[in-house]
Amino acid sequence: MATNKIKVDALVVGGGISGMQTALDLADQGYQVALVEKEASIGGKMIALSKVFPTLDCCSCITTPKMSAVAHQENITLLTYCEVDHIKQNGKGFIVGATNKPRYVDMDLCTGCRQCEYVCPVDLKNPFDNNLGAIRAIRVPFSTAVPQKVVLDIDNCILCGKCQTACAVDAIDFTQQPEEIMIETDSILLATGFEVTPKDAKKEYGNGKLLNVIDGLDMERLLAPTGPYGHVLRPSDGKEPDSIAYVQCAGSRDETLGVEYCSRVCCMYAIKQAMLLSGALPLADITIYYMDIRAFGKGYEQFYQNAKAMGIQFIKGKVAKIKEDENQNPVFRVEMVDEGGSVVEHTHDLAVLSVGMLPSFDPTPIFNVPNDTDGFIMTPDQNFSASLTMIPGIFAAGAATGPMDIVDSIMTAGSAASAASAYIKSQQNGKEESSSKIADLQKESQHA
Amino acid sequence: MSDKQTKKEKMQILKELREQYADSVAKTQAHLKEQQSARRLLKKAMKTGPMTVPEIAEAVNLPSDEVLWHIVAMKKYDLVTEVGQDGEYYKYALPVKEKKS
Ligand SMILES: Cc1cc2nc3c(=O)[nH]c(=O)nc-3n(C[C@H](O)[C@H](O)[C@H](O)COP(=O)(O)OP(=O)(O)OC[C@H]3O[C@@H](n4cnc5c(N)ncnc54)[C@H](O)[C@@H]3O)c2cc1C
Ligand code: SF4
Ligand code: SF4
């Protein structure tokens, strides 16, 4: 295995909005930064969303410039399709071993023309569309991917070589092997983000088996201009739904799933989607079944009130069960809280589960960074320095530290970058500064 | 690319990889066969004119969610076009100049 070596001031792990912002904030101050992203493109969850609450800005329009800023910032070394395997303490800093997975494409030669993608015979479910749409075995991951280069899915390829023949610049290279990279760094910033509640988590809601019971991320893709169907259609038969219903807290504040916390974004994204749906499907009835609506951020309560004024129905009720009728319509069994707890059945065309946020990556085995009881990265100094982890020199930002929206992700990214900047300076000037604070906290937690 | 490979070398490399990845290649080939036979049925049915997903599903006797997936896959790569709406369903048609797939 060939080994490349790089030396940086900061290594950022995860290229979602939090990681991108952290990397940019550090690079703009003159620090050398390496950004490692496990997928073939940066962008994280945000690049797959339709529009953002509460401003209703187009997500792709605001995320794409950030992605290209990362690619063009000369102080950032961007390593996509790459994962950290191990780290070693190196004095006050770290030596990090990462592996670049083979894309089977020469990144210097590929122009992103997609000729190879067009000739490839194999259509697969498209992970970028949450498997609702299709994509080829060799593909540019999505239209605004950064880098704009193809990746070949060797595990779902018949190795026919058609792509290689079609490529005018001879960029496809089946001899590529994993490449090891050694990164020497003073600091590490974890921005590994979140996953949503798995579709099969709630058996009351069909165990993920009912085609017309989708989740919030599916709906983001259906609403996005680049979405799989080009319209909001239901997956069972392509029907334009006349009646769409949301189930709030589907996977959050739920002891049976071991998720006791509120995911903080589901109320707001459901309201946002409901508003976008009433624009896309003006005749459709849109209902949100909820226990309470949490609209805590700046402008959020107004956003909620606007949704009500637009005619979106908010029903205080507990959805006990969803089954389907003979036409695959989801049938809700609802306990109506405002009607004395009476139980009714409502049939809709499409159901959307407002799924919650779960941690996506466990940093403990590799980075030795402990997690909190909720499974997200432990940030012991929540009040004064929320980006510190229990390990000196390792910081955390964004949804990797707990459920949060984009506004808060960007704020924590800025805070992590400034804490890391202070740390790097203190290390490079030979002073111990922020590390002593962590030492105190570590001691405290050991005694607790 | 690491020094230009000749056509012959490329074929040899692919042949060796097909052996190394025999299992996944076999699995993908089976998937492809199914895909191609479904597409043949779809294209044949759609020769009669623009159709909705449930109409195609009935004509080819495949589940409508699978038909929808094939249609969106073909639409993505310009092998099917959307032509208006019939009530709650969109209608799809083969492109006027039929391309080979
Ligand atoms: C359905 C839905 C709708 C939403 N709508 C809105 C909205 O309208 N407005 C709003 O403010 N917020 C919204 N949010 C919340 C928003 O998605 C998050 O706040 C934001 O994406 C968090 O960004 P992040 O960078 O922290 O995490 P992520 O977006 O999850 O990015 C993490 C990145 O790290 C990478 N990664 C993970 N592990 C590793 C590893 N080991 N090595 C390398 N890379 C790794 C991932 O591939 C990913 O690219 C919504 C969330 C959902 C679920
Ligand atoms: S590999 Fe070749 S054909 Fe494929 S996108 Fe790159 S340059 Fe185009
Ligand atoms: S070799 Fe694989 S990726 Fe390339 S065209 Fe054939 S199936 Fe597609």
Side-chain angles (χ1 to χ4, degrees):
Chain A
M1 215 192 267
T3 304
N4 294 323
K5 280 194 180 134
I6 53 176
K7 191 171 182 311
V8 290
D9 301 305
L11 165 69
V12 178
V13 184
I17 188 62
S18 309
M20 292 194 290
Q21 190 62 48
T22 308
L24 284 169
D25 283 351
L26 283 165
D28 289 346
Q29 293 177 53
Y31 292 110
Q32 290 300 311
V33 181
L35 174 58
V36 169
E37 165 58 53
K38 72 173 162 58
E39 301 295 334
S41 168
I42 50 172
K45 292 277 189 298
M46 186 175 171
I47 190 62
L49 304 180
S50 53
K51 295 190 174 178
V52 286
F53 62 74
T55 54
L56 296 185
D57 287 318
C58 150
C59 234
S60 178
C61 314
I62 57 176
T63 318
T64 312
K66 276 267 182 258
M67 294 159 67
S68 19
V70 168
H72 291 124
Q73 166 46 277
E74 51 186 30
N75 292 339
I76 299 179
T77 306
L78 181 56
L79 300 164
T80 51
Y81 220 40
C82 183
E83 270 179 79
V84 171
D85 305 314
H86 51 85
I87 75 165
K88 206 169 72 192
Q89 197 84 36
N90 174 38
K92 299 269 168 53
F94 306 91
I95 294 191
V96 177
T99 305
N100 231 335
K101 295 173 270 186
R103 295 170 84 111
Y104 301 101
V105 168
D106 186 319
M107 296 287 275
D108 294 331
L109 292 179
C110 175
T111 60
C113 72
R114 297 176 70 212
Q115 288 300 322
C116 51
E117 184 174 339
Y118 269 83
V119 300
C120 173
V122 182
D123 279 326
L124 301 167
K125 294 203 162 153
N126 185 355
F128 184 70
D129 281 334
N130 263 12
N131 295 333
L132 292 168
I135 198 146
R136 298 264 155 95
I138 185 165
R139 71 282 184 124
V140 174
F142 51 91
S143 59
T144 57
V146 169
Q148 222 6 249
K149 312 271 174 187
V150 292
V151 56
L152 188 152
D153 177 355
I154 196 107
D155 295 322
N156 288 292
C157 159
I158 55 166
L159 294 160
C160 64
K162 280 191 180 159
C163 49
Q164 204 168 33
T165 312
C167 179
V169 295
D170 210 4
I172 294 168
D173 180 1
F174 282 100
T175 65
Q176 266 186 9
Q177 297 294 323
E179 230 173 67
E180 188 160 311
I181 305 161
M182 292 302 256
I183 306 162
E184 199 181 318
T185 181
D186 285 329
S187 62
I188 296 174
L189 296 103
L190 299 173
T192 47
F194 70 101
E195 288 305 331
V196 294
T197 318
K199 288 214 170 78
D200 59 1
K202 298 278 291 173
K203 69 172 184 314
E204 308 88 291
Y205 299 157
N207 247 340
K209 296 215 169 71
L210 307 182
L211 290 171
N212 293 325
V213 178
I214 63 173
D215 71 17
L217 273 182
D218 295 336
M219 184 52 94
E220 290 292 335
R221 293 309 301 148
L222 295 188
L223 283 163
T226 55
Y229 306 152
H231 308 278
V232 178
L233 306 177
R234 62 180 205 174
S236 73
D237 59 0
K239 178 182 168 185
E240 206 171 59
D242 288 329
S243 161
I244 304 163
Y246 281 81
V247 184
Q248 292 312 109
C249 298
S252 309
R253 306 164 72 195
D254 186 337
E255 279 177 34
T256 62
L257 298 178
V259 180
E260 286 165 20
Y261 54 82
C262 161
S263 287
R264 300 182 76 212
V265 297
C266 335
C267 285
M268 293 308 294
Y269 78 60
I271 296 171
K272 167 192 77 177
Q273 292 182 355
M275 284 171 131
L276 296 174
L277 282 168
S278 62
L281 306 169
L283 301 179
D285 291 326
I286 302 156
T287 310
I288 296 183
Y289 295 99
Y290 73 104
M291 293 304 290
D292 51 4
I293 291 288
R294 298 188 168 179
F296 56 91
K298 186 175 162 121
Y300 290 9
E301 178 63 23
Q302 191 55 46
F303 193 69
Y304 170 37
Q305 297 305 333
N306 291 349
K308 282 206 234 175
M310 281 169 78
I312 290 151
Q313 259 208 81
F314 287 81
I315 296 184
K316 204 169 167 81
K318 215 172 166 167
V319 179
K321 199 173 173 66
I322 305 175
K323 51 184 198 219
E324 61 178 23
D325 68 11
E326 66 285 0
N327 297 318
Q328 291 179 299
N329 297 314
V331 182
F332 285 47
R333 208 180 152 75
V334 191
E335 193 187 314
M336 307 288 278
V337 174
D338 277 349
E339 290 169 21
S342 60
V343 175
V344 296
E345 281 200 348
H346 288 165
T347 303
H348 301 280
D349 288 334
L350 183 62
V352 187
L353 304 180
S354 292
V355 287
M357 290 168 93
L358 303 175
S360 73
F361 169 71
D362 178 5
T364 312
I366 294 176
F367 296 93
N368 199 25
V369 167
N371 294 319
D372 222 321
T373 46
D374 58 8
F376 291 95
I377 297 175
M378 183 187 280
T379 47
D381 194 8
Q382 269 301 327
N383 289 337
F384 295 109
S385 205
S387 60
L388 303 186
T389 70
M390 292 296 284
I391 305 293
I394 304 189
F395 305 85
T401 64
M404 66 179 73
D405 60 13
I406 293 161
V407 176
D408 285 354
S409 294
I410 292 191
M411 232 148 56
T412 61
S415 130
S418 87
S421 160
Y423 180 86
I424 299 164
K425 276 224 174 77
S426 74
Q427 298 308 310
Q428 294 178 350
N429 297 337
K431 281 189 226 133
E432 287 205 21
E433 194 191 293
S434 41
S435 52
S436 60
K437 189 167 186 183
I438 299 279
D440 292 346
L441 282 164
Q442 283 173 323
K443 261 187 234 140
E444 252 174 56
S445 80
Q446 271 155 15
H447 291 143
Chain B
M1 171 136 52
S2 55
D3 299 323
K4 287 263 175 269
Q5 296 153 356
T6 63
K7 209 169 167 194
K8 218 168 144 194
E9 279 168 346
K10 282 181 188 161
M11 278 166 69
Q12 182 59 28
I13 291 164
L14 277 169
K15 187 166 171 259
E16 281 166 21
L17 272 179
R18 276 194 294 267
E19 280 160 23
Q20 189 188 333
Y21 285 90
D23 290 351
S24 64
V25 167
K27 189 197 72 188
T28 310
Q29 259 160 351
H31 162 81
L32 183 59
K33 222 171 133 189
E34 235 172 80
Q35 174 189 315
Q36 285 168 337
S37 81
R39 299 285 165 93
R40 266 193 299 274
L41 290 174
L42 254 69
K43 283 189 190 166
K44 197 168 154 221
M46 292 171 80
K47 286 223 168 87
T48 57
M51 290 168 98
T52 65
V53 167
E55 284 165 358
I56 304 169
E58 202 184 325
V60 300
N61 200 21
L62 280 173
S64 51
D65 61 307
E66 282 176 30
V67 169
L68 174 63
W69 188 79
H70 286 296
I71 292 290
V72 300
M74 292 164 83
K75 190 168 145 237
K76 176 165 180 156
Y77 294 103
D78 310 327
L79 303 168
V80 151
T81 49
E82 188 185 287
V83 282
Q85 217 171 342
D86 180 6
E88 293 158 319
Y89 293 93
Y90 282 87
K91 282 173 119 45
Y92 302 94
L94 298 172
V96 186
K97 266 194 296 164
E98 199 187 325
K99 293 181 188 165
K100 54 180 178 11
S101 66

